[in-house]
Amino acid sequence: MTMIGWIQIALFCAVVVALVKPLGAYMTRVFTGERSFLSPILRPVESGLYWISGVNEKREQHWLTYTIAALLFHIVGFLLLYAVIRLQAVLPLNPQGQSAVAEDLSFNTAVSFLTNTNWQNYGGESTMSYLTQMLGLTTQNFISAAAGISLAVALVRGFARNSVRTIGNFWVDITRATLYVLLPICIVYTLFLVWQGVPQTLGAYVDATTLEGAKQSIAVGPVASQVAIKMLGTNGGGFFNANAAHPFENPTALSNFVQMLSIFAIGAALTNVFGRMVGNQKQGWAILGVMGVLFIIGVAITYGAEASGTTGLADLGLSGGNMEGKEMRFGIVASALFAVVTTAASCGAVNAMHDSFTALGGMIPLINMQLGEIIVGGVGAGLYGMLMFVVLAIFVAGLMVGRTPEYVGKKIESREVKMAMLAILVLPLMYLGWTAVAVVLPSAAASMANAGPHGFTEVLYAFTSATGNNGSAFGGLTGNTVFYNLTLACSMLVGRFFMIIPAMALAGSLAAKKSIPASAGTLPTTGGLFIGLVIGVILIIGGLTFFPALALGPIVEHLAMTAHTLF
């Protein structure tokens, strides 16, 4: 580890924190229906969309109606995306003549982009047409991200409102999230990426002649527009198979830095939205503090592990750290930081091969996802996932002092705790259950490229990534089989919607409660004690749930490495 490396990490954290308040203030104005600086331009467009679709923006919805609207919207999106992928061979904007995608892979891909996961069992430039990339995948990147933001705002309203039965209007929220938040930023972001050297064209692939005289086809396409929303919306799906390690997706150190910032920007700012809407910005800073502490711990371990390298490298006198699977353009610190950022958020974009990280370096991205990707997390999903742990922490605190727990003026009772536990515990069922099946089923085990604990980690990482709606791959695992396409799709659906439904039920329950003033016995929820309590609950639940699986994978692999055994 070097001082320059730590300065890069500190600079990244400082810029993220600096963005929280202005972006949070802007989004609060958007979702409370107040006038913003873009209103003169976008308000007529917003009103026109409501008129065309028959939406009454002043009519709010019960939590169940809100949830059903979100689910129906996702179902229609799935059907349209699946049709585009299956029919791409006969649709326009297919200069390379890409054929129709197989049924199981089409199903997996449609579910993947529907759920904001963007798990890819294919190489983008060799499988998908321009129309599929734009109309199908990029469109779903906007829609799934906007849906996540909308659902988070709905849950925040549950905490902020007093004795009401409604939590907002899904159609209004998703329109505003797309029109006022995602689109304006992505337009500027796309132009920045083009300036940095990312292609944005509908022209055919470029044929070139190498210095050796060989012919090479260089893939191009509408790349910049997809990269912008895949990062900002924490989607992660790459236009190219190499994702953010490809020079056409991530050409410079500056583009790499900005891409990491964009992954965290909205998720971090939503904590400020929470604080503003409940009437106390310190509440939002406390939640961001929990996320920040866990993030710094993860970065320190990953950076330290990759900078130290392996025992074998040390025995050879090589002290430069582990550069296997990393881009020389970015080096160890930017690769380690990117890996932690993309798995702390549910992004899934990668600028290095996680399969080539050291055992401990690869374990932190795995843990980030297993905790539910609540360390900033996906846009919206990170906040409502973190609030589930906050509810549990408040409940534990109430048990310790022997009184009904309260949070931002709302009593946390058995219904709220049950919803939070349901949302949290359903995820390990997918992580661990499908991994157990895959490692004992011969046809599934045959997809592992490595034996021993490293191969086990490949499988565990795949199902964790899918369930956590992350989409990054550890690598080494052949995922494009019927078994993995279907089981990973199942994991994605459960990871997304079995979290959403309890979260919305929690929102409805809280919105119907009366707000009560703080008393002498109320636990302060804006200071270091509360931050430590929430972190402790998160780590205890995570440790009890996942330590046995981690012991079979990266932990035993690290211990074996110290004995000069590699896998």
Side-chain angles (χ1 to χ4, degrees), residues 271-272 274-276 278-289 407-408 525-527 530-531:
T271 62
N272 187 257
F274 174 80
R276 289 176 184 273
V278 299
N280 184 353
Q281 290 189 49
K282 290 182 179 180
Q283 300 288 352
W285 289 114
I287 292 176
L288 186 62
Y407 184 60
V408 293
T525 55
T526 59
F530 173 73
I531 292 173

Side-chain angles (χ1 to χ4, degrees), residues 516-533:
I516 56 176
S519 64
T522 302
L523 173 71
T525 55
T526 59
L529 178 63
F530 173 73
I531 292 173
L533 174 65

Side-chain angles (χ1 to χ4, degrees), residues 122-415:
Y122 61 89
E125 68 270 45
S126 61
T127 307
M128 299 299 180
S129 70
Y130 289 173
L131 185 71
T132 300
Q133 296 274 22
M134 293 187 299
L135 179 63
L137 307 186
T138 303
T139 299
Q140 277 299 324
N141 282 346
F142 275 98
I143 291 172
S144 62
I149 296 171
S150 302
L151 293 162
V153 171
L155 178 56
V156 172
R157 291 192 187 108
F159 284 99
R161 293 185 170 183
N162 181 19
S163 301
V164 299
R165 293 176 55 82
T166 60
I167 58 172
N169 186 309
F170 174 76
W171 308 113
V172 173
D173 288 342
I174 197 168
T175 300
R176 289 175 176 170
T178 305
L179 194 60
Y180 288 90
V181 180
L182 298 176
L183 269 175
I185 298 175
C186 281
I187 290 172
V188 177
Y189 194 0
T190 298
L191 295 174
F192 164 80
L193 292 172
V194 171
W195 171 55
Q196 288 293 291
V198 179
Q200 182 70 17
T201 178
L202 296 179
Y205 291 1
V206 177
D207 293 325
T209 303
T210 67
L211 293 175
E212 294 82 7
K215 299 294 183 181
Q216 180 180 358
S217 181
I218 300 175
V220 292
V223 183
S225 55
Q226 181 166 320
V227 171
I229 185 57
K230 85 165 188 177
M231 295 299 187
L232 185 67
T234 61
N235 302 280
F239 189 97
F240 300 103
N241 189 40
N243 208 283
H246 196 290
F248 281 179
E249 283 202 28
N250 193 6
T252 67
L254 178 59
S255 70
N256 188 70
F257 187 78
V258 172
Q259 287 182 19
M260 288 190 292
L261 287 177
S262 62
I263 292 171
F264 264 16
I266 293 178
L270 280 169
T271 62
N272 187 257
V273 173
F274 174 80
R276 289 176 184 273
M277 291 183 71
V278 299
N280 184 353
Q281 290 189 49
K282 290 182 179 180
Q283 300 288 352
W285 289 114
I287 292 176
L288 186 62
V290 174
M291 297 174 174
V293 171
L294 293 171
F295 173 71
I296 293 298
I297 292 172
V299 170
I301 295 174
T302 302
Y303 180 32
E306 296 307 299
S308 300
T310 64
T311 305
L313 291 174
D315 291 343
L316 294 173
L318 302 175
S319 57
N322 175 32
M323 278 297 295
E324 180 187 341
K326 297 180 178 63
E327 278 287 299
M328 292 295 294
R329 293 175 296 141
F330 306 133
I332 289 175
V333 60
S335 300
L337 179 59
F338 200 111
V340 178
V341 168
T342 196
T343 52
S346 62
C347 182
V350 295
N351 74 348
M353 179 59 70
H354 294 184
D355 189 44
S356 296
F357 277 35
T358 61
L360 294 183
M363 181 178 71
I364 296 301
L366 182 59
I367 291 175
N368 284 345
M369 295 184 294
Q370 288 177 336
L371 293 178
E373 290 177 310
I374 53 171
I375 308 169
V376 177
V379 286
L383 178 61
Y384 60 69
M386 177 60 79
L387 288 173
M388 297 297 177
F389 278 102
V390 168
V391 167
L392 292 184
I394 293 294
F395 173 69
V396 170
L399 289 177
M400 290 190 291
V401 298
R403 57 171 288 162
T404 303
E406 305 163 13
Y407 184 60
V408 293
K410 295 297 180 72
K411 285 189 176 294
I412 305 300
E413 298 173 303
S414 62
R415 177 179 171 83

